[in-house]
Amino acid sequence: MPALADDETFLRRVSLDLTGKLPAPEEIRAFLTDKNPDKRARQIDRLLASQTYAINWGRYWRDVLTYHTPASANYLRWQLFDEWMVEQIRRNRPWNETVTALVTATGINDECAPVNYLTAHFGNPVELAATTSRVFLGVQLQCAECHDAKTESWKREQFHELVAFFGRARVIQHKDVNGRGTPYAIEGREDGQYSMTDKKDPSRLIPMAPRFLTGEAVTADAPDSERRPPWPAS
């Protein structure tokens, strides 16, 4: 069994992992002179409760969810989405609630922060299905878009059944009276029919039953926890 890391190594590693930063010299000195036997557990709790931890991991998940989106994309409200993700980490919001808010979001992305997950992929149901499966389920499904997976059990039809969940989402760019583009919105499609066409044989059309995502949609009238800061303290 490997030996435990010494106090200085432990502090450096836990600080980098949780906050992305090295501990300050005064923190190192205080930690090394602390004789309390549970000082490591207390240090972990202190870091998990810090704003630096929330910023570090909120931005990590923002990057994971938008890594396909160009940094110059003017249709994504980066700061609003960044602040919202950081706040979910700070509040220790349950992961199932955070993901539900992201994948069921509707409204204007200038007002409803989670909508930016959908606009980051420009409402493309194929991209949304692939990213949602990979990030939130830990399952790589995207190679089944065109053919049955070669090394996994996933079938092409199963991939497009998942895509059908996102088939009703569409991105709309609102325009002002002068015709200038304003914030983007995600709205439900009334027709809602998603289908896939075989790329080798365009005549082979496989219709998918339209379905709404489960869970309560996050709309522009959503509680403040899904909208602009200031965020609630709870």
Side-chain angles (χ1 to χ4, degrees), residues 23-43:
E26 56 271 21
E27 290 182 83
I28 298 174
R29 287 191 290 268
F31 190 75
L32 294 179
T33 56
D34 187 351
K35 302 303 181 183
N36 195 310
D38 67 343
K39 67 180 181 180
R40 294 193 178 192
R42 289 190 293 110
Q43 180 68 14

Side-chain angles (χ1 to χ4, degrees), residues 132-169:
T132 300
S133 175
R134 177 182 57 81
V135 174
F136 301 132
L137 302 177
V139 176
Q140 296 278 7
L141 275 180
Q142 59 268 28
C143 53
E145 176 187 352
C146 303
H147 53 73
D148 293 346
K150 303 298 184 184
T151 59
E152 302 289 344
S153 60
W154 313 116
K155 303 299 182 183
R156 180 170 178 260
E157 186 166 352
Q158 289 177 306
F159 175 81
H160 287 275
E161 286 173 346
L162 179 61
V163 175
F165 277 94
F166 297 93
R168 284 182 177 268

Side-chain angles (χ1 to χ4, degrees), residues 75-88:
Y75 54 84
L76 189 66
R77 298 302 181 254
W78 293 97
Q79 183 177 357
L80 181 62
F81 192 45
D82 176 60
E83 291 171 341
W84 185 83
M85 287 302 305
V86 168
E87 183 61 16
Q88 308 319 295

Side-chain angles (χ1 to χ4, degrees), residues 137-215:
L137 302 177
V139 176
Q140 296 278 7
L141 275 180
Q142 59 268 28
C143 53
E145 176 187 352
C146 303
H147 53 73
D148 293 346
K150 303 298 184 184
T151 59
E152 302 289 344
S153 60
W154 313 116
K155 303 299 182 183
R156 180 170 178 260
E157 186 166 352
Q158 289 177 306
F159 175 81
H160 287 275
E161 286 173 346
L162 179 61
V163 175
F165 277 94
F166 297 93
R168 284 182 177 268
R170 63 173 177 171
V171 175
I172 299 173
Q173 185 181 23
H174 292 270
K175 295 184 180 295
D176 59 22
V177 293
N178 297 313
R180 292 190 295 264
T182 54
Y184 288 80
I186 291 288
E187 297 182 1
R189 290 176 52 183
E190 292 183 1
D191 56 351
Q193 185 68 37
Y194 174 79
S195 61
M196 70 173 183
T197 302
D198 193 313
K199 293 182 178 179
K200 295 181 180 179
D201 180 9
S203 66
R204 179 174 174 245
L205 189 68
I206 303 177
M208 298 295 172
R211 307 172 189 172
F212 282 115
L213 292 168
T214 58

